[in-house]
């Protein structure tokens, strides 16, 4: 059984009820077609479970496979500095087949960022340390591919289709009852 290392912290991107009984963590890569496929599934699981679920996303760009993944992760982090991480996160997954730098700028505009500030942060790679921290935590947690999910700190070994993921989360809820 592989455990999440480190635990959820203030610098993580968190959606949902802060006091939810179960936490789902995803290590993802914005250029990964499997992560793109998982994105609407995670959203559906969030809708179904509502306040019972807290969702955390950590960057795990597979640099050797996806040339634009790291830049996209840093772009999402730069958007997060303006309070728009989740908006950029969603756009990046919806457009994972076009993550070239010029496209990222269009996406920054589309989510209402101060594009000049965002571009400055992206160009100086201000959020590279955050992405590196996520990568290191993934490596310590035994992540080798994306998407990789953890439910309450334990690696989910099953499929990530909606039914299987919901069943695993509901099982974790039962344990917590």
């Amino acid at each position: 059984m592989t455990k999440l290392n480190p635990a959820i912290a203030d610098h993580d991107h968190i959606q949902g009820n802060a006091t939810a009984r179960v936490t789902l963590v995803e290590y993802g890569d914005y250029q990964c077609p499997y992560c793109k496929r998982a994105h609407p599934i995670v959203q559906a699981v969030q809708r179904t479970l509502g306040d019972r679920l807290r969702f955390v996303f950590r960057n795990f760009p597979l640099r050797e496979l996806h040339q634009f993944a790291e830049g996209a992760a840093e772009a999402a982090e730069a958007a997060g500095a303006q309070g728009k991480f989740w908006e950029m996160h969603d756009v990046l997954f919806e457009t994972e087949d076009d993550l070239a730098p010029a496209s990222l700028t269009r996406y920054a505009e589309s989510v209402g960022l101060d594009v000049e500030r965002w571009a400055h942060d992206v160009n100086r790679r201000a959020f590279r340390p955050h992405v590196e921290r996520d990568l290191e935590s993934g490596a310590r947690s035994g992540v080798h591919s994306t998407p990789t999910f953890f439910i309450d700190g334990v690696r989910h070994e099953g499929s990530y289709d909606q039914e299987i993921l919901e069943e695993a989360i509901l099982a974790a809820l039962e344990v917590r009852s």
Side-chain angles (χ1 to χ4, degrees):
M1 170 169 53
T2 308
K3 298 272 190 171
L4 183 67
N5 180 15
I8 307 306
D10 290 339
H11 59 79
D12 281 308
H13 297 288
I14 301 170
Q15 271 187 331
N17 182 358
T19 61
R21 293 186 11 234
V22 175
T23 299
L24 175 66
V25 176
E26 176 186 357
Y27 281 90
D29 172 325
Y30 291 110
Q31 201 173 359
C32 169
Y34 303 105
C35 293
K36 180 179 182 170
R37 200 171 308 137
H39 181 66
I41 293 168
V42 169
Q43 290 176 318
V45 168
Q46 287 177 285
R47 282 190 301 275
T48 299
L49 294 172
D51 284 346
R52 298 178 291 172
L53 180 68
R54 175 173 71 155
F55 175 62
V56 176
F57 182 83
R58 289 183 176 170
N59 298 290
F60 201 79
L62 301 171
R63 302 171 187 162
E64 61 282 349
L65 296 175
H66 304 132
Q67 76 179 80
F68 297 122
E70 187 170 22
E74 290 179 26
E77 294 301 329
Q82 295 184 41
K84 300 268 188 167
F85 173 81
W86 292 107
E87 292 86 345
M88 184 65 111
H89 168 86
D90 291 347
V91 167
L92 293 173
F93 275 130
E94 292 161 8
T95 58
E96 63 84 28
D97 56 337
D98 185 12
L99 298 178
S103 298
L104 295 178
T105 301
R106 280 196 326 275
Y107 306 150
E109 291 170 353
S110 77
V111 300
L113 296 177
D114 172 341
V115 176
E116 188 174 315
R117 176 179 159 202
W118 173 85
H120 176 73
D121 287 343
V122 168
N123 290 334
R124 69 183 176 94
R125 301 197 72 189
F127 294 96
R128 184 176 190 196
H130 185 105
V131 173
E132 289 295 324
R133 181 176 50 227
D134 284 359
L135 276 165
E136 289 169 11
S137 76
R140 283 194 304 273
S141 301
V143 175
H144 301 289
S145 61
T146 57
T148 295
F149 294 98
F150 289 80
I151 299 171
D152 277 352
V154 177
R155 185 178 176 152
H156 171 68
E157 298 294 344
S159 164
Y160 57 85
D161 69 22
Q162 184 175 348
E163 183 179 344
I164 300 295
L165 201 52
E166 282 179 10
E167 284 176 10
I169 293 166
L170 290 170
L173 278 167
E174 286 295 316
V175 168
R176 295 221 174 234
S177 295

